[in-house]
Protein backbone atom coordinates (compact mmCIF):
# COMPACT_ATOMS: atom_id res chain seq x y z
CA UNK A 1 0.00 0.00 0.00
CA UNK A 2 1.41 3.38 -1.07
CA UNK A 3 0.56 6.10 1.45
CA UNK A 4 -0.22 9.51 -0.09
CA UNK A 5 -0.47 13.03 1.31
CA UNK A 6 -2.39 15.59 -0.79
CA UNK A 7 -1.57 19.27 -0.36
CA UNK A 8 -3.65 21.87 -2.22
CA UNK A 9 -5.30 25.10 -1.09
CA UNK A 10 -8.54 24.42 -2.98
CA UNK A 11 -10.97 22.09 -1.23
CA UNK A 12 -12.53 20.95 -4.51
CA UNK A 13 -9.13 19.97 -5.88
CA UNK A 14 -8.22 18.11 -2.67
CA UNK A 15 -11.48 16.17 -2.84
CA UNK A 16 -11.00 15.32 -6.50
CA UNK A 17 -7.41 14.16 -5.95
CA UNK A 18 -8.48 12.04 -2.98
CA UNK A 19 -11.08 10.29 -5.14
CA UNK A 20 -8.51 9.71 -7.90
CA UNK A 21 -6.03 8.16 -5.47
CA UNK A 22 -8.39 6.17 -3.29
CA UNK A 23 -10.07 4.39 -6.20
CA UNK A 24 -6.85 2.37 -6.69
CA UNK A 25 -6.41 -0.64 -4.41
CA UNK A 26 -2.67 -0.08 -3.98
CA UNK A 27 -2.93 3.65 -3.09
CA UNK A 28 -4.36 5.32 0.00
CA UNK A 29 -4.65 8.95 1.08
CA UNK A 30 -3.46 9.22 4.69
CA UNK A 31 -3.75 13.00 5.09
CA UNK A 32 -4.63 16.24 3.31
CA UNK A 33 -3.30 19.77 3.77
CA UNK A 34 -4.66 23.17 2.73
CA UNK A 35 -1.41 25.16 2.80
CA UNK A 36 2.35 24.72 2.90
CA UNK A 37 2.67 24.79 6.68
CA UNK A 38 -0.01 22.12 7.03
CA UNK A 39 1.75 20.06 4.37
CA UNK A 40 5.01 20.04 6.33
CA UNK A 41 3.27 19.19 9.60
CA UNK A 42 1.17 16.44 7.99
CA UNK A 43 4.22 14.93 6.29
CA UNK A 44 6.12 14.74 9.57
CA UNK A 45 3.09 13.33 11.41
CA UNK A 46 1.85 10.77 8.87
CA UNK A 47 5.10 9.79 7.10
CA UNK A 48 3.58 9.33 3.61
CA UNK A 49 5.41 7.57 0.81
CA UNK A 50 4.40 10.25 -1.69
CA UNK A 51 3.26 13.86 -1.38
CA UNK A 52 1.19 15.36 -4.19
CA UNK A 53 2.03 19.04 -3.68
CA UNK A 54 0.37 22.08 -5.22
CA UNK A 55 3.01 24.65 -6.15
CA UNK A 56 1.00 27.78 -5.19
CA UNK A 57 -0.30 27.70 -1.61
CA UNK A 58 -0.60 30.21 1.24
CA UNK A 59 1.74 30.38 4.26
CA UNK A 60 4.40 28.40 2.39
CA UNK A 61 4.59 27.54 -1.30
CA UNK A 62 4.75 23.97 -2.49
CA UNK A 63 8.43 24.46 -3.32
CA UNK A 64 9.20 25.80 0.16
CA UNK A 65 7.24 22.97 1.78
CA UNK A 66 9.03 20.38 -0.36
CA UNK A 67 12.43 21.73 0.62
CA UNK A 68 11.56 21.77 4.33
CA UNK A 69 10.11 18.26 4.31
CA UNK A 70 13.12 16.74 2.55
CA UNK A 71 15.83 18.69 4.39
CA UNK A 72 14.33 18.56 7.87
CA UNK A 73 12.90 15.02 7.72
CA UNK A 74 12.87 13.88 11.39
CA UNK A 75 12.39 10.16 10.79
CA UNK A 76 14.61 7.33 9.50
CA UNK A 77 14.94 6.97 5.74
CA UNK A 78 13.35 6.87 3.29
CA UNK A 79 12.07 10.41 2.87
CA UNK A 80 8.80 10.81 0.98
CA UNK A 81 8.82 11.39 -2.76
CA UNK A 82 7.21 14.63 -3.89
CA UNK A 83 5.19 15.20 -7.06
CA UNK A 84 4.57 18.88 -7.68
CA UNK A 85 1.20 19.41 -9.34
CA UNK A 86 0.36 22.78 -10.88
CA UNK A 87 -1.85 24.53 -13.40
CA UNK A 88 1.09 26.51 -14.73
CA UNK A 89 3.69 25.06 -17.11
CA UNK A 90 6.39 27.60 -16.20
CA UNK A 91 10.12 26.91 -16.14
CA UNK A 92 10.61 28.85 -12.90
CA UNK A 93 8.28 26.44 -11.09
CA UNK A 94 9.91 23.38 -12.63
CA UNK A 95 13.45 24.46 -11.81
CA UNK A 96 12.59 25.49 -8.26
CA UNK A 97 10.69 22.27 -7.58
CA UNK A 98 13.48 20.03 -8.84
CA UNK A 99 16.15 21.96 -6.95
CA UNK A 100 14.05 21.53 -3.81
CA UNK A 101 14.15 17.77 -4.34
CA UNK A 102 10.85 16.97 -6.04
CA UNK A 103 10.79 13.70 -7.98
CA UNK A 104 8.03 14.68 -10.36
CA UNK A 105 6.33 17.66 -11.95
CA UNK A 106 2.88 17.26 -13.49
CA UNK A 107 0.16 19.59 -14.71
CA UNK A 108 -3.31 19.52 -13.17
CA UNK A 109 -4.81 18.47 -16.49
CA UNK A 110 -2.98 15.15 -16.12
CA UNK A 111 -5.35 12.21 -16.48
CA UNK A 112 -6.31 10.31 -13.31
CA UNK A 113 -4.59 7.13 -14.49
CA UNK A 114 -1.41 9.05 -15.33
CA UNK A 115 -1.33 10.58 -11.85
CA UNK A 116 -1.70 7.14 -10.27
CA UNK A 117 1.11 5.82 -12.47
CA UNK A 118 3.27 8.80 -11.50
CA UNK A 119 2.80 8.00 -7.81
CA UNK A 120 3.88 4.41 -8.40
CA UNK A 121 6.83 5.56 -10.52
CA UNK A 122 8.35 7.94 -7.98
CA UNK A 123 8.00 5.35 -5.20
CA UNK A 124 10.33 3.14 -7.26
CA UNK A 125 12.92 5.92 -7.14
CA UNK A 126 12.34 7.04 -10.71
CA UNK A 127 11.21 10.42 -12.02
CA UNK A 128 7.98 11.55 -13.62
CA UNK A 129 7.87 14.78 -15.63
CA UNK A 130 5.13 16.27 -17.73
CA UNK A 131 6.17 15.63 -21.37
CA UNK A 132 5.90 19.33 -22.19
CA UNK A 133 8.74 20.26 -19.85
CA UNK A 134 11.24 17.44 -20.36
CA UNK A 135 13.08 18.76 -23.42
CA UNK A 136 13.16 22.32 -22.05
CA UNK A 137 14.74 21.04 -18.86
CA UNK A 138 17.54 19.33 -20.74
CA UNK A 139 18.19 22.48 -22.78
CA UNK A 140 17.86 25.12 -20.11
CA UNK A 141 18.34 23.72 -16.62
CA UNK A 142 21.61 24.75 -14.97
CA UNK A 143 22.50 22.25 -12.27
CA UNK A 144 24.45 23.81 -9.42
CA UNK A 145 27.17 21.62 -7.85
CA UNK A 146 27.75 21.70 -4.10
CA UNK A 147 29.86 24.67 -2.94
CA UNK A 148 33.56 23.94 -3.20
CA UNK A 149 33.00 20.63 -4.95
CA UNK A 150 34.70 21.64 -8.23
CA UNK A 151 33.61 19.25 -10.96
CA UNK A 152 31.33 16.84 -9.07
CA UNK A 153 31.69 14.16 -11.76
CA UNK A 154 35.32 13.73 -10.68
CA UNK A 155 34.00 12.24 -7.43
CA UNK A 156 32.52 9.23 -9.24
CA UNK A 157 34.16 5.92 -10.05
CA UNK A 158 34.16 4.70 -13.65
CA UNK A 159 31.33 2.26 -12.89
CA UNK A 160 29.29 5.01 -11.25
CA UNK A 161 29.86 7.15 -14.33
CA UNK A 162 28.47 4.30 -16.44
CA UNK A 163 25.34 4.24 -14.27
CA UNK A 164 24.97 8.03 -14.38
CA UNK A 165 25.26 8.03 -18.18
CA UNK A 166 22.37 5.56 -18.45
CA UNK A 167 20.32 7.61 -15.99
CA UNK A 168 20.94 10.69 -18.17
CA UNK A 169 19.73 8.69 -21.18
CA UNK A 170 16.42 8.13 -19.39
CA UNK A 171 16.81 4.45 -18.49
CA UNK A 172 14.93 2.93 -15.56
CA UNK A 173 16.67 0.95 -12.82
CA UNK A 174 15.64 -2.31 -14.49
CA UNK A 175 17.04 -1.18 -17.85
CA UNK A 176 20.30 -0.05 -16.23
CA UNK A 177 20.65 -3.42 -14.52
CA UNK A 178 20.09 -5.27 -17.78
CA UNK A 179 22.57 -3.05 -19.65
CA UNK A 180 25.36 -3.38 -17.07
CA UNK A 181 24.64 -6.86 -15.75
CA UNK A 182 23.74 -5.63 -12.27
CA UNK A 183 21.02 -6.73 -9.87
CA UNK A 184 18.23 -4.32 -8.93
CA UNK A 185 19.56 -3.82 -5.35
CA UNK A 186 23.03 -3.08 -6.72
CA UNK A 187 21.68 -0.46 -9.13
CA UNK A 188 19.71 1.19 -6.33
CA UNK A 189 22.74 1.16 -4.01
CA UNK A 190 24.99 2.71 -6.65
CA UNK A 191 22.42 5.36 -7.44
CA UNK A 192 22.23 6.33 -3.77
CA UNK A 193 26.04 6.68 -3.66
CA UNK A 194 25.97 8.74 -6.86
CA UNK A 195 23.32 11.08 -5.44
CA UNK A 196 25.32 11.53 -2.23
CA UNK A 197 28.59 12.25 -4.05
CA UNK A 198 27.00 14.68 -6.48
CA UNK A 199 25.00 16.44 -3.79
CA UNK A 200 21.69 15.87 -5.58
CA UNK A 201 18.37 14.62 -4.25
CA UNK A 202 17.16 12.34 -7.04
CA UNK A 203 17.75 10.96 -10.52
CA UNK A 204 16.22 13.99 -12.22
CA UNK A 205 18.82 16.30 -10.69
CA UNK A 206 21.59 13.79 -11.41
CA UNK A 207 20.53 13.48 -15.07
CA UNK A 208 20.34 17.23 -15.52
CA UNK A 209 23.77 17.69 -13.95
CA UNK A 210 25.16 15.10 -16.37
CA UNK A 211 23.55 16.86 -19.34
CA UNK A 212 24.83 20.23 -18.16
CA UNK A 213 28.37 18.84 -17.77
CA UNK A 214 28.30 17.50 -21.34
CA UNK A 215 28.57 13.86 -20.25
CA UNK A 216 26.44 12.66 -23.16
CA UNK A 217 28.66 14.52 -25.62
CA UNK A 218 31.82 12.68 -24.60
CA UNK A 219 33.15 9.79 -26.69
CA UNK A 220 32.49 6.38 -25.19
Amino acid sequence: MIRVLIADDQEMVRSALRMVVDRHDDLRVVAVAADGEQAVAAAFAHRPDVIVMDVRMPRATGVEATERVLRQWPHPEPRPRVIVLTTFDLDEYVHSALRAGASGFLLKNTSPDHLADAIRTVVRGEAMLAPSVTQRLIRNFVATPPPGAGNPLELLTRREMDVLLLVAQGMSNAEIGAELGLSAPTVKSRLNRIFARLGVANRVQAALLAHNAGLLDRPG
Side-chain angles (χ1 to χ4, degrees), residues 159 163 173-174 176-188 190:
R159 198 60 164 166
V163 173
N173 286 11
I176 293 171
E179 179 73 17
L180 299 179
L182 302 174
S183 67
T186 299
V187 173
K188 185 174 182 179
R190 291 195 177 179

Side-chain angles (χ1 to χ4, degrees), residues 40-108:
V40 174
F44 290 168
H46 295 277
R47 301 174 66 173
D49 301 303
V50 177
I51 304 173
V52 178
M53 185 88 76
D54 184 23
V55 75
R56 298 180 68 179
M57 292 188 292
R59 298 218 290 165
T61 68
V63 171
E64 292 167 343
T66 296
E67 188 169 26
R68 286 172 56 188
V69 167
L70 298 180
R71 290 193 177 182
Q72 301 173 17
W73 187 244
H75 306 294
E77 299 288 349
R79 290 170 169 77
R81 309 288 184 179
V82 179
I83 297 173
V84 171
L85 197 64
T86 179
T87 306
F88 305 96
D89 182 10
L90 298 178
D91 285 347
E92 62 183 285
Y93 291 154
V94 180
H95 297 177
S96 297
L98 295 179
R99 284 196 173 100
S103 297
F105 185 95
L106 296 177
L107 302 180
K108 286 187 176 179

Side-chain angles (χ1 to χ4, degrees), residues 129-176:
L129 298 176
S132 61
V133 305
T134 303
Q135 291 304 315
R136 293 205 318 275
L137 279 174
I138 292 174
R139 289 195 304 266
N140 301 328
F141 188 86
V142 179
T144 304
N151 179 2
L153 298 182
E154 294 177 354
L155 302 174
L156 303 183
T157 66
R158 178 61 200 176
R159 198 60 164 166
E160 288 168 347
M161 286 284 283
D162 291 339
V163 173
L164 178 59
L165 176 60
L166 298 180
V167 168
Q169 292 174 350
M171 288 192 181
S172 67
N173 286 11
E175 291 169 334
I176 293 171

Side-chain angles (χ1 to χ4, degrees), residues 103-136:
S103 297
F105 185 95
L106 296 177
L107 302 180
K108 286 187 176 179
N109 62 5
T110 297
S111 71
D113 287 341
H114 189 59
L115 176 59
D117 287 341
I119 291 171
R120 299 183 185 105
T121 296
V122 298
V123 163
R124 295 195 300 267
E126 301 177 27
M128 177 61 72
L129 298 176
S132 61
V133 305
T134 303
Q135 291 304 315
R136 293 205 318 275

